[in-house]
Amino acid sequence: MAFDIEMIKKVYSQVADRVNAAREVTGKPLTLAEKILYAHLWDGKAETAFVRGKDYVDFAPDRIACQDATAQMALLQFMQAGKNKVAVPTTVHCDHLIQAKLGADKDLQSALNSSSEVFNFLESVSNKYGIGFWKPGAGIIHQVVLENYAFPGGMMIGTDSHTVNAGGLGMVAIGVGGADAVDVMAGMPWELKFPKLIGVKLTGKLSGWTAPKDVILKVAEILTVKGGTGAIVEYFGPGATAMSCTGKGTICNMGAEIGATTSTFGYDDSMERYLRATDRADVADAANAVKEHLTGDAEVYANPEQYFDQVIEINLSELMPLLNGPFTPDLSTEAGSDMTEKAKANDWPIQVEWGLIGSCTNSSYEDLSRASSIAQQALDKGLKTKAEFGINPGSEQVRYTADRDGILSVFEKLDAKIFTNACGPCIGQWGRYEDPKNAPKNSIVHSFNRNFAKRADGNPNTHAFVASPELVAAIAIAGRLDFNPMTDKLINEEGQEVMLDEPTGWELPPKGFEVKENGYMEPVEDGSNVEVVVDPNSERLELLTPFEPWDGKNITGAKLLIKAFGKCTTDHISMAGPWLRYRGHLDNISNNCLIGAVNAYNKKTNFVKSQLNNEYDGVPNVQRAYKAAGVPTIVVGDHNYGEGSSREHAAMEPRHLGVRAVIVKSFARIHETNLKKQGMLGLTFADENDYDLIQEDDTFNFLDLDQFAPGKQLTMEIVHTDGSTDTIKLNHTYNDSQIEWFKEGSALNLIKKQNV
């Protein structure tokens, strides 16, 4: 039986009335995304039609999921909200703080030894406030959610950008900052700008070496890393219904890499099969009773150009296996000769040192079974892997079942390392090098979702390429980046030429899923007597102090902390890897604030000029000095600033250190919201060329911040060292409620004030 089945039944009991009301006010057939959005309005039935990309709307999500790295700050904030219990079903999953190095058992024990303080804190807070807790080793949050909590037609938010994975089971699941999650935990509405809609029609059928991964790699090529910003991507067509549920999850998962609000698929037979296989027949039965409301209307899919803001069509029968990268998930190359040419032209290392399968994107039973079919061929045909090989199963249920069915032993016979059921290398938790900054240039292939510089192993010289698990396995065996398994032959141990056959596998385990200990801990009914202890001398955890409210005056005399050049993701603003240990200690983790951003004036990282003494130092050191001196500062950035993870630390750190405004050409959606939640000014240049006006020694004066209002531009004066000035206009997307967050110092301050 499913978790929270009564909540799911309640959602389904309301869906028909709410969808019909939405059809009436909009006067048209509805996409699936629209049905779910209108069915989850905070105020109940729709009384007005919302304008996509413009109207801010209050929603009532059904549940929340948090991973351990972001849960720390989210729960530290929730502890300030004055509530006894979370208002909606919530879970915490311990998957980010386990480093992959020696193998599953040793790595898990090492994590328990080094992070027990954090795990104990999360367990006790969860127990106190009615939150389900998944222990270290239980699995990767998004695979566990898909197996246990996701349900067609539901709405979920999560403190990780890849929460969108649950779209594979027909949800609108959205990655948010911890402050957004705290709102919902505290019983408040969750606000979102009503998304635009991108329709992706899938025709044909996947076959041979082509996998669901290749669909999203192709979409990323088409839309680029920011092409989905502000939009929900909805997949439909015969190619969509022919795909497995976990395959759909893979596609939705990497929607985060195109900036999409989320991605989703309509309820179909593959989802029903998956629900029943994961012991949720009760959910499948309930969904079947309202299935017409759990997919887009037929008129929409018949004439998609009339109902979506943009439509893409992909013929799966013509799609080829792809590798995306390096350093960005939207640079797509077909396997084989195209890669040979690109690699030579760009000096990418052809030799591959590692092949990695897993992460929240591709760690299902189906993924492992198809990849193991390639590994078994290598054993049968006398081949050995030329690259090292690593596997991260998605959950203990997947691991146990795959081990029972002999899948993991196939990998082990090829000397693959089976890592813990955790994120591992995907988020930089990989003990590959002792000194990653000075490690050699190399190439790796993986089935993960992100491949930014230094993302996996901390080495800026690692060229990471994203591919399907099947192709990763083949390339790990061949040891060459440009290996094409459809055409290329390999020489086995006996000197014979052999070829790999097409991968095979199982959508679901033939003997069913099985697990002895899934790692779940149910919270006590009454947590009032549960004590949460935080050592005041801890370097890992720190109780929060509320941010100061705005004094109502214009910000004047501000200095430039850094003008970021080019791509500036949340990895640049708040690095992961070894810094994960400080995710619960705001002051300590603030020592990584913007240390990965490239200074536009000297093209160096973590080396900026202080106007207090005209000397150069690390970004956090310079900013701490500004704060101590009472000098306000701003950060300037380029396009899609804050692309990447949902981590709110990227907003909280500059706020904590005293930065007052972030001014950029454009924002990634989650990061802009996170800045607003923390009482920061997140602004964009009305004229992008004004980015070029900003000089290293400038002083900045806001002239009309005291008239801050929705839809009204702000004016900023730039004073140069020669005495000349430029006055520029700045755009913002703050509404009345968000301006109140700014005035009160943060959204949490406002919640606490309202709860008094």
Side-chain angles (χ1 to χ4, degrees), residues 726-745:
D726 286 294
T727 301
I728 65 172
K729 293 292 186 180
L730 302 171
N731 294 333
H732 68 84
T733 60
Y734 288 74
N735 58 28
D736 285 322
S737 298
Q738 294 167 343
I739 289 174
E740 286 302 310
W741 300 343
F742 173 72
K743 290 179 177 178
E744 292 296 333

Side-chain angles (χ1 to χ4, degrees), residues 281-335:
D282 44 357
V283 178
D285 292 340
N288 286 343
V290 293
K291 65 193 310 179
E292 67 185 280
H293 304 301
L294 304 180
T295 189
D297 287 334
E299 300 95 323
V300 170
Y301 294 156
N303 301 286
E305 289 80 7
Q306 295 180 25
Y307 302 100
F308 291 98
D309 297 291
Q310 181 179 356
V311 177
I312 297 168
E313 184 168 338
I314 298 174
N315 185 340
L316 302 184
S317 301
E318 298 174 355
L319 189 63
M320 301 295 287
L322 301 171
L323 292 105
N324 282 26
F327 308 129
T328 185
D330 60 354
L331 179 58
S332 190
T333 306
E334 286 190 5

Side-chain angles (χ1 to χ4, degrees), residues 106-127:
K106 291 180 179 178
D107 291 346
L108 179 57
Q109 189 57 54
S110 177
L112 293 172
N113 294 341
S114 63
S115 295
S116 59
E117 177 187 14
V118 173
F119 296 143
N120 291 339
F121 166 75
L122 293 174
E123 181 184 332
S124 63
V125 175
S126 297
N127 204 23

Side-chain angles (χ1 to χ4, degrees), residues 562 595-608 616 619:
I562 186 170
I595 64 175
V598 177
N599 184 348
Y601 303 106
N602 55 25
K603 302 303 186 290
K604 295 181 179 180
T605 58
N606 202 27
F607 199 63
V608 295
Y616 286 84
V619 179

Side-chain angles (χ1 to χ4, degrees), residues 231-252:
I232 291 180
V233 181
E234 183 170 327
Y235 292 85
F236 62 94
T241 54
M243 202 178 295
S244 70
C245 179
T246 53
K248 293 177 172 73
T250 289
I251 292 170
C252 292

Side-chain angles (χ1 to χ4, degrees), residues 13 134 230-231 325 405 456 489 507 651 671 745:
S13 71
W134 291 81
D405 294 347
K489 296 179 179 178
E507 176 185 352
H671 187 66

Side-chain angles (χ1 to χ4, degrees), residues 398-479:
V398 165
R399 187 212 64 79
Y400 188 92
T401 306
D403 190 38
R404 178 202 67 189
D405 294 347
I407 288 173
L408 296 188
S409 66
V410 173
F411 291 123
E412 290 173 325
K413 289 173 185 176
L414 276 181
D415 295 325
K417 280 188 178 177
I418 309 299
F419 293 125
T420 315
N421 314 319
C423 303
C426 181
I427 55 146
Q429 284 284 53
W430 188 16
R432 184 183 181 191
Y433 297 113
E434 294 299 324
D435 182 16
K437 291 182 180 179
N438 295 305
K441 185 175 180 178
N442 72 103
S443 287
I444 65 173
V445 292
H446 60 58
S447 67
F448 306 159
N449 38 43
R450 294 208 169 122
N451 57 353
F452 304 141
K454 300 188 280 188
R455 171 81 179 186
D457 58 13
N459 177 7
N461 298 310
T462 293
H463 293 55
F465 296 84
V466 182
S468 69
E470 304 89 311
L471 189 57
V472 169
I475 289 176
I477 292 165

